Amino acid sequence: EVQLLESGGGLVQPGGSLRLSCAASGFTFSNYAMSWVRQAPGKGLEWVSTISGSGGSIYYADSVKGRFTISRDNSKNTLYLQMNSLRAEDTAVYYCAKSGSYYGSGDIYFDYWGQGTLVTVSS
Amino acid sequence: QSALTQPASVSGSPGQSITISCTGTSSDVGGYNYVSWYQQHPGKAPKLMIYDVSIRPSGVSNRFSGSKSGNTASLTISGLQAEDEADYYCSSYTSSSTLLFGGGTKLTVL
């Protein structure tokens, strides 16, 4: 059974940093691209970033480019999102999502999702 | 990039069929057969319903179907059931190597 368990969310002040983790199990982690998708309170889904199975290809939404860094450790079956220079508009539930393919671009769809971790940016 | 355009809400009675549209441009929906649809119940994580425009994942009811014409993709739900009441989101790959979601559609089963 595929399981994705996010952690690391919490309250942080504007300009601060936070690192999210997503522990994966139930599938061969290195064979699939992984992504972060966020949802602000009461709002729709917003794609944040995707990393290919090997970690060699990485893509970001313009809204987070230069501030967020996605990475993965295939030996630990874990996905990360380092978030710096956080803003109030980054407040959201952050979902870890498994892609249906190895590559980080093109046929990107999410066949499994974690339950999400809430990040609140406020002073 | 702006979100793909979806109607804010649709409704239907049990047993009826409804269609949710998802309109983009030739740089996203119209340019690739990489449109997917997600169902989200309140307080829950999204669930994949359709990918690659019209492919249903294993376990998803055949009452759900997807299609595309030009820059507009559509999700059709036939034989509406109370459990189908949820928010639905489309997404598409874009020419900028990014992924774009629609604004979401709230489906009400009357």
Short mmCIF file of all heavy atoms in Angstrom, two decimals, chain A residues 6-32:
data_model
loop_
_atom_site.label_atom_id
_atom_site.label_comp_id
_atom_site.label_asym_id
_atom_site.label_seq_id
_atom_site.Cartn_x
_atom_site.Cartn_y
_atom_site.Cartn_z
N GLU A 6 3.64 13.43 5.35
CA GLU A 6 4.33 14.71 5.45
C GLU A 6 4.56 15.11 6.90
O GLU A 6 3.79 14.74 7.79
CB GLU A 6 3.52 15.83 4.77
CG GLU A 6 3.20 15.61 3.31
CD GLU A 6 1.80 15.04 3.11
OE1 GLU A 6 1.28 14.39 4.05
OE2 GLU A 6 1.23 15.24 2.02
N SER A 7 5.61 15.89 7.11
CA SER A 7 5.89 16.45 8.43
C SER A 7 6.68 17.74 8.26
O SER A 7 7.16 18.04 7.16
CB SER A 7 6.70 15.46 9.28
OG SER A 7 7.94 15.17 8.65
N GLY A 8 6.77 18.51 9.36
CA GLY A 8 7.58 19.72 9.33
C GLY A 8 6.81 21.02 9.26
O GLY A 8 7.40 22.09 9.33
N GLY A 9 5.49 20.93 9.11
CA GLY A 9 4.70 22.16 9.05
C GLY A 9 4.63 22.85 10.41
O GLY A 9 5.03 22.29 11.43
N GLY A 10 4.13 24.07 10.41
CA GLY A 10 3.98 24.80 11.66
C GLY A 10 3.86 26.28 11.43
O GLY A 10 3.68 26.73 10.30
N LEU A 11 3.97 27.04 12.51
CA LEU A 11 3.88 28.49 12.46
C LEU A 11 5.27 29.10 12.33
O LEU A 11 6.18 28.74 13.09
CB LEU A 11 3.20 29.00 13.73
CG LEU A 11 3.11 30.52 13.91
CD1 LEU A 11 2.24 31.14 12.82
CD2 LEU A 11 2.55 30.86 15.30
N VAL A 12 5.43 30.00 11.38
CA VAL A 12 6.72 30.65 11.16
C VAL A 12 6.48 32.12 10.84
O VAL A 12 5.44 32.48 10.26
CB VAL A 12 7.50 29.95 10.02
CG1 VAL A 12 6.73 30.02 8.71
CG2 VAL A 12 8.90 30.53 9.87
N GLN A 13 7.41 32.96 11.25
CA GLN A 13 7.27 34.40 10.99
C GLN A 13 7.63 34.73 9.54
O GLN A 13 8.42 34.01 8.91
CB GLN A 13 8.18 35.19 11.94
CG GLN A 13 7.75 35.12 13.39
CD GLN A 13 8.57 36.07 14.27
OE1 GLN A 13 9.67 36.46 13.91
NE2 GLN A 13 8.01 36.44 15.41
N PRO A 14 7.07 35.81 9.01
CA PRO A 14 7.46 36.25 7.66
C PRO A 14 8.97 36.43 7.57
O PRO A 14 9.60 36.97 8.49
CB PRO A 14 6.73 37.58 7.51
CG PRO A 14 5.54 37.45 8.40
CD PRO A 14 6.02 36.66 9.59
N GLY A 15 9.53 35.94 6.47
CA GLY A 15 10.97 35.99 6.27
C GLY A 15 11.69 34.77 6.82
O GLY A 15 12.89 34.58 6.56
N GLY A 16 10.98 33.93 7.54
CA GLY A 16 11.58 32.74 8.14
C GLY A 16 11.69 31.57 7.19
O GLY A 16 11.36 31.67 6.00
N SER A 17 12.18 30.46 7.72
CA SER A 17 12.39 29.25 6.93
C SER A 17 11.74 28.05 7.59
O SER A 17 11.51 28.04 8.80
CB SER A 17 13.90 28.98 6.78
OG SER A 17 14.55 30.02 6.09
N LEU A 18 11.48 27.05 6.76
CA LEU A 18 10.88 25.81 7.24
C LEU A 18 11.27 24.71 6.27
O LEU A 18 11.43 24.96 5.07
CB LEU A 18 9.36 25.96 7.28
CG LEU A 18 8.54 25.24 8.35
CD1 LEU A 18 9.05 25.56 9.75
CD2 LEU A 18 7.08 25.63 8.22
N ARG A 19 11.44 23.50 6.77
CA ARG A 19 11.75 22.37 5.90
C ARG A 19 10.70 21.29 6.07
O ARG A 19 10.51 20.78 7.18
CB ARG A 19 13.12 21.79 6.23
CG ARG A 19 13.60 20.74 5.23
CD ARG A 19 14.73 19.90 5.81
NE ARG A 19 15.52 19.23 4.77
CZ ARG A 19 16.31 18.18 5.02
NH1 ARG A 19 16.41 17.70 6.25
NH2 ARG A 19 17.00 17.64 4.03
N LEU A 20 10.03 20.98 4.98
CA LEU A 20 9.03 19.91 4.99
C LEU A 20 9.67 18.60 4.54
O LEU A 20 10.57 18.60 3.71
CB LEU A 20 7.87 20.25 4.05
CG LEU A 20 7.16 21.58 4.27
CD1 LEU A 20 5.99 21.71 3.31
CD2 LEU A 20 6.71 21.74 5.70
N SER A 21 9.17 17.50 5.09
CA SER A 21 9.61 16.17 4.69
C SER A 21 8.41 15.33 4.31
O SER A 21 7.29 15.57 4.79
CB SER A 21 10.37 15.49 5.84
OG SER A 21 11.53 16.20 6.19
N CYS A 22 8.63 14.35 3.47
CA CYS A 22 7.58 13.42 3.07
C CYS A 22 8.20 12.03 3.01
O CYS A 22 9.02 11.76 2.13
CB CYS A 22 7.00 13.81 1.73
SG CYS A 22 5.86 12.58 1.02
N ALA A 23 7.81 11.18 3.94
CA ALA A 23 8.31 9.81 3.98
C ALA A 23 7.40 8.92 3.15
O ALA A 23 6.19 8.89 3.38
CB ALA A 23 8.36 9.33 5.42
N ALA A 24 8.00 8.24 2.19
CA ALA A 24 7.23 7.41 1.26
C ALA A 24 7.46 5.93 1.51
O ALA A 24 8.55 5.51 1.91
CB ALA A 24 7.61 7.76 -0.18
N SER A 25 6.42 5.14 1.26
CA SER A 25 6.54 3.69 1.39
C SER A 25 5.52 3.03 0.49
O SER A 25 4.56 3.65 0.03
CB SER A 25 6.33 3.26 2.84
OG SER A 25 5.04 3.62 3.29
N GLY A 26 5.75 1.74 0.21
CA GLY A 26 4.80 0.97 -0.58
C GLY A 26 5.05 0.97 -2.07
O GLY A 26 4.26 0.40 -2.82
N PHE A 27 6.13 1.62 -2.52
CA PHE A 27 6.48 1.61 -3.94
C PHE A 27 7.98 1.88 -4.07
O PHE A 27 8.62 2.29 -3.10
CB PHE A 27 5.67 2.65 -4.72
CG PHE A 27 5.92 4.09 -4.31
CD1 PHE A 27 6.72 4.91 -5.08
CD2 PHE A 27 5.34 4.62 -3.16
CE1 PHE A 27 6.95 6.23 -4.72
CE2 PHE A 27 5.56 5.94 -2.78
CZ PHE A 27 6.37 6.74 -3.56
N THR A 28 8.52 1.66 -5.25
CA THR A 28 9.94 1.91 -5.49
C THR A 28 10.14 3.40 -5.72
O THR A 28 9.92 3.92 -6.81
CB THR A 28 10.44 1.10 -6.70
OG1 THR A 28 10.17 -0.28 -6.50
CG2 THR A 28 11.95 1.29 -6.87
N PHE A 29 10.54 4.07 -4.66
CA PHE A 29 10.56 5.54 -4.61
C PHE A 29 11.35 6.14 -5.77
O PHE A 29 10.90 7.10 -6.40
CB PHE A 29 11.16 5.95 -3.26
CG PHE A 29 11.15 7.43 -3.00
CD1 PHE A 29 9.97 8.11 -2.80
CD2 PHE A 29 12.34 8.15 -2.91
CE1 PHE A 29 9.96 9.47 -2.53
CE2 PHE A 29 12.34 9.51 -2.65
CZ PHE A 29 11.15 10.17 -2.46
N SER A 30 12.51 5.60 -6.07
CA SER A 30 13.39 6.18 -7.08
C SER A 30 12.85 6.06 -8.50
O SER A 30 13.40 6.68 -9.42
CB SER A 30 14.78 5.55 -7.00
OG SER A 30 14.69 4.15 -7.22
N ASN A 31 11.81 5.29 -8.69
CA ASN A 31 11.24 5.09 -10.02
C ASN A 31 10.22 6.16 -10.41
O ASN A 31 9.71 6.15 -11.54
CB ASN A 31 10.57 3.72 -10.13
CG ASN A 31 11.58 2.59 -10.30
OD1 ASN A 31 12.78 2.83 -10.36
ND2 ASN A 31 11.09 1.37 -10.36
N TYR A 32 9.91 7.05 -9.49
CA TYR A 32 8.84 8.00 -9.75
C TYR A 32 9.22 9.43 -9.39
O TYR A 32 9.88 9.68 -8.38
CB TYR A 32 7.57 7.62 -8.97
CG TYR A 32 7.01 6.30 -9.41
CD1 TYR A 32 7.38 5.12 -8.75
CD2 TYR A 32 6.15 6.22 -10.50
CE1 TYR A 32 6.89 3.90 -9.17
CE2 TYR A 32 5.66 5.00 -10.93
CZ TYR A 32 6.04 3.84 -10.26
OH TYR A 32 5.55 2.63 -10.69
#
